[in-house]
């Protein structure tokens, strides 16, 4: 699996931990930055990660900023993206099982590196169960196609 990952200045520390988890799971990390603590704009990282996933160049994406809110809003503007803002293990698993989320957003100022790593691992290892959820996800896809 190829995982695109990006962070702004407020998520750069956790990004490095998540890249380690991706590689530990035998997956490929596509690091799209940032690599600094100086203020940058989150859409400049969220949109390229989302575009990699939407185009199929990456199977999934992970985004980290201060709260995860800005990243998730920006990523969800890209057609075909179902970005979930997650700060707990239950939601990480549920959003893959039920929503087939293809991008994960987290906030470094909300959760620490240990929990972020656990969330990323659960999210990356959980497969979409489809079934009764497939009809709901397809309604989102159908709506997007009309826009």
């Amino acid at each position: 699996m190829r995982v695109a990952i990006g962070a702004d200045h407020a998520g750069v520390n956790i990004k490095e931990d998540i890249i380690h988890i991706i590689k530990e799971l035998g997956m490929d990390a596509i690091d799209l930055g940032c690599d600094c603590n100086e203020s940058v704009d989150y859409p400049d990282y969220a949109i390229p990660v989302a575009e990699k996933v939407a185009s199929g160049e990456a199977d999934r994406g992970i985004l980290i900023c201060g709260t995860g809110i800005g990243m998730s809003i920006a990523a969800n503007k890209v057609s075909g993206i179902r970005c979930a803002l997650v700060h707990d293990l239950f939601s990480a698993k549920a959003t893959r099982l039920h929503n087939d989320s293809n991008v994960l957003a987290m906030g470094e100022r909300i959760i620490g590196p240990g929990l972020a790593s656990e969330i990323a691992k659960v999210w990356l290892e959980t497969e979409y169960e489809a079934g009764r959820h497939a009809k709901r996800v397809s309604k989102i896809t159908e709506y997007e196609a009309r826009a």
Side-chain angles (χ1 to χ4, degrees), residues 64-109:
I64 308 112
C65 66
T67 63
I69 296 168
M71 288 287 201
S72 64
I73 291 170
N76 278 316
K77 297 297 181 187
V78 176
S79 183
I81 296 303
R82 290 178 304 283
C83 179
L85 174 57
V86 173
H87 291 129
D88 64 86
L89 295 172
F90 176 81
S91 298
K93 187 168 188 168
T95 194
R96 283 291 309 133
L97 286 172
H98 300 174
N99 311 117
D100 195 21
S101 62
N102 51 12
V103 177
L104 170 69
M106 296 183 282
E108 183 170 319
R109 294 177 179 158

Side-chain angles (χ1 to χ4, degrees), residues 15-127:
K15 180 182 70 112
E16 296 307 316
D17 294 337
I18 303 303
I19 288 172
H20 178 75
I21 294 295
I22 292 167
K23 291 178 179 179
E24 191 175 84
L25 292 172
M27 301 173 184
D28 295 325
I30 305 167
D31 186 353
L32 298 176
C34 94
D35 295 315
C36 67
N37 292 314
E38 297 167 18
S39 184
V40 296
D41 299 328
Y42 60 82
D44 295 340
Y45 301 92
I47 293 170
V49 166
E51 287 176 336
K52 288 269 188 211
V53 175
S55 72
E57 291 177 64
D59 301 297
R60 295 203 203 151
I62 298 178
L63 297 165
I64 308 112
C65 66
T67 63
I69 296 168
M71 288 287 201
S72 64
I73 291 170
N76 278 316
K77 297 297 181 187
V78 176
S79 183
I81 296 303
R82 290 178 304 283
C83 179
L85 174 57
V86 173
H87 291 129
D88 64 86
L89 295 172
F90 176 81
S91 298
K93 187 168 188 168
T95 194
R96 283 291 309 133
L97 286 172
H98 300 174
N99 311 117
D100 195 21
S101 62
N102 51 12
V103 177
L104 170 69
M106 296 183 282
E108 183 170 319
R109 294 177 179 158
I110 308 297
I111 58 174
L115 181 55
S117 293
E118 289 180 53
I119 288 168
K121 186 174 182 185
V122 165
W123 186 79
L124 288 166
E125 292 181 324
T126 302
E127 293 299 323

